[in-house]
Amino acid sequence: MKKQFNRMRQLANQTVGRAEKTEVLSDDLLHIERRLELVRLVSHNTHKRLVSCLQGQPGTDTEKRHKKLPLTTLSQAMQEGGSQLGDDGLIGRMMDVCGEAESRLATELMQHEVQIEKDILDPLNQLAEVEIPNILKQRKQLAKLVLDYDSGKTRWYQATKSNNQAMAAKADSLKDEMDEALNKVEICKDQLSADLYNFASKEGDYARYYVMLLEAQADYHRRSLAALEAAIPTIQIQQDSWMEKPAFGTLLEEHLKRSSREIALPLEACVMMLLETGMKEEV
């Protein structure tokens, strides 16, 4: 409690300029420190936006993820529709083949998102929510230790200059407290400096996440395109085969020839009905 009170008093005196503030970090380290929070913020925002781009639910196993994808449900609907229509018509065949293609696309998407989560999302989250906060936490601890040291130094200096014998007698003990506080500052500063330089040295690794994102997306689109290109010829063959079937006019001619008629029986019946009911002369 007393230590906290001394910190607050020392901070107040430094704020209004009545006490000196010890700066233990070099300019290089202060520059790295200023980047820490900015890197944390942009990494957090990127992670959040990238998660929103995923169609599957992060953190779930691959089977559940695959089932929940919109492409999977589309594939199932197409294949069920094709099964209901059967192979007698072209629509049923097309829906079945397209359904299989959509299923392959869903598998490619699921594998892509799992890779994105493992190689990019998890590291970004680790950086923004664990690594940088730990360094910032240590920086706050150093600031507290520096306040303890500055407070101890101020009290020791006042004791050495005081004419009060009681205060002068405490100078040695205050000097010991100041030295102990300085030792803690040095230990914390060394550890923080190592962490800051380590962070700076890994900037290339952190930047690599964004390269990996584009590479993963490019690979995913190539595999998806390959799946589509593999399905399109099959669909085209069935389409062309269906279009080569005899047209309605050819079938009608064949029917008239076999039945030795000049007009099809259904058409003849319709014409006769019109003559009898709708085309009589008015009396």
Side-chain angles (χ1 to χ4, degrees), residues 74-108:
L74 172 62
S75 167
Q76 292 171 346
M78 282 183 161
Q79 290 179 310
E80 289 173 2
S83 178
Q84 291 170 355
L85 290 172
D87 294 335
D88 295 339
L90 182 61
I91 297 177
R93 297 178 186 178
M94 293 295 98
M95 291 188 73
D96 187 59
V97 175
C98 288
E100 292 179 1
E102 295 297 337
S103 179
R104 287 194 290 273
L105 289 178
T107 299
E108 294 294 348

Side-chain angles (χ1 to χ4, degrees), residues 271-283:
V271 171
M272 294 301 297
M273 182 186 69
L274 290 173
L275 289 173
E276 293 176 1
T277 61
M279 301 182 65
K280 292 181 180 181
E281 294 185 2
E282 293 184 358
V283 179

Side-chain angles (χ1 to χ4, degrees), residues 31 64 88 136 148 181 183 191 244 276:
H31 175 70
K64 287 184 178 179
D88 295 339
L136 294 174
D148 291 341
N183 185 52
Q191 182 60 52
E244 290 173 359
E276 293 176 1

